[in-house]
Amino acid sequence: MLDVARLLRNRPEIHGAIDVSDGLSTDLLRVCASAGVGCEVDASALRPSRALSRFCNDRRADLAEWMLVGGEDYALVLSVSWSKAGGLCAAVEKNTGVPAAVIGRFRSGAGYYRRDRDGKKHRLRATGWDHIGNNE
């Protein structure tokens, strides 16, 4: 992860960043709230681990939902202009070997959504860990 951080420091195309440790949905919505924007996550762009895929398959659980809720992923979410996002992902992979992908878009106005492979749209909620709130 330090290799990625070194590569990304001082890059003007990055407008914001957060580490995904409390769950992708929670941390992504924190970025949105801070910037006053909404977002749409493309569930088909999320890259599950083999272990999580097996876990969800064995339990007939919603893989995309687990990927959005789970934490401790040791990943970064970056806010990058759309025209620069693909190139930045390619640079991260080429220079560090760490997988990188465009997983969605920030959008003006309110509203947080997840779009599934079939195009169906779901409201995205912050369902990961909340250090201050009630996580029972």
Side-chain angles (χ1 to χ4, degrees):
M1 187 63 76
L2 289 176
D3 290 344
V4 174
R6 282 186 199 103
L7 176 71
L8 298 177
R9 73 174 177 230
N10 301 323
R11 299 288 294 252
E13 65 267 37
I14 298 174
H15 305 291
I18 192 168
D19 74 306
V20 178
S21 58
D22 295 334
L24 176 57
S25 64
T26 297
D27 291 325
L28 178 59
L29 270 57
R30 286 178 177 144
V31 170
C32 289
S34 175
V37 298
C39 68
E40 186 169 311
V41 175
D42 177 4
S44 66
L46 299 174
R47 297 178 179 176
S49 67
R50 287 187 182 128
L52 181 60
S53 295
R54 277 193 307 271
F55 175 87
C56 289
N57 188 47
D58 292 348
R59 289 158 184 79
R60 295 190 176 131
D62 184 341
L63 179 60
E65 188 65 26
W66 273 86
M67 291 182 69
L68 290 163
V69 171
E72 303 305 324
D73 294 323
Y74 307 108
L76 296 172
V77 170
L78 305 174
S79 171
V80 180
S81 62
W82 186 254
S83 63
K84 306 278 184 175
L88 187 64
C89 288
V92 167
E93 289 191 10
K94 178 183 177 190
N95 293 297
T96 68
V98 174
V102 176
I103 63 164
R105 294 182 92 146
F106 291 104
R107 10 178 278 148
S108 61
Y112 316 114
Y113 301 96
R114 163 187 124 197
R115 187 171 300 277
D116 287 339
R117 294 179 194 277
D118 62 4
K120 193 171 183 181
K121 209 170 174 180
H122 305 272
R123 189 164 301 279
L124 184 61
R125 297 176 304 131
T127 51
W129 181 255
D130 181 353
H131 297 272
I132 298 171
N134 187 357
N135 281 298
E136 295 180 37

